[in-house]
Amino acid sequence: IVAGDDHATHLFEPTPGELAHRLGEALENGIAPARLAWSHADVESRWLDLLRDLAEPCNGENVAAPMPQPRVSVCVVHYNRPHLLAEALAAVRAQTYDNIEVVLVDDGSPGQEAQAYLDGLEAEFNARGWQIIRQPNSYLGAARNTAARAARGEYLVFLDDDDLAFPSLVETFVRAAIHTDAD
């Protein structure tokens, strides 16, 4: 957000010594405000373009070309909370975006109830081309990495078993990613 020409004078390594040095220089010599990398008009224009793209078409107005539908992998990490996982998966099933896969990683749930719930999901997951991966308990980061490695989508969305996604979560992420050329 800082203009490139101002990087050398306004940005620095975040260390106590460098901060003290830069504060001393500013107190001794003064410092002009950093310039923005983008103008306010450019930022406003980009936001308006995004909001226009996200707006639903109304009353038969001309509609732009359909949005591409890249596959999105919803990576869900679970540990021994089947009652929460059931709610999280219900929220994923209710998404307004259709081209999704779920990669569910069970991170070594020891409970019989959790194992029974996962067993009960197998038929639905197989029918939808979704994945259930069971691994020894390795904790959150490792479980998320396992899900990411198994994912086949162009985009990844990470959820924990206690997350309830709004129905438009994936659709909104995809629209924003496509509009901004995010990877």
Side-chain angles (χ1 to χ4, degrees), residues 52-127:
R52 216 174 281 115
D53 288 350
L54 293 175
E56 293 292 328
C58 300
N59 301 327
E61 292 178 10
N62 289 337
V63 178
M67 181 179 77
Q69 299 286 308
R71 180 187 288 176
V72 176
S73 297
V74 179
C75 301
V76 181
V77 176
H78 168 253
Y79 179 78
N80 215 39
R81 302 187 295 187
H83 59 290
L84 294 176
L85 179 59
E87 293 178 29
L89 291 175
V92 172
R93 290 182 193 102
Q95 289 298 300
T96 57
Y97 188 84
D98 293 324
N99 194 12
I100 64 172
E101 71 163 344
V102 173
V103 179
L104 170 60
V105 176
D106 176 66
D107 194 34
S109 294
Q112 290 180 347
E113 183 181 354
Q115 293 304 317
Y117 182 72
L118 293 170
D119 291 344
L121 292 173
E122 291 282 350
E124 175 194 3
F125 272 55
N126 288 336

Side-chain angles (χ1 to χ4, degrees), residues 12-24:
F12 55 88
E13 288 297 318
T15 63
E18 188 64 19
L19 175 60
H21 174 73
R22 292 297 182 107
L23 287 173

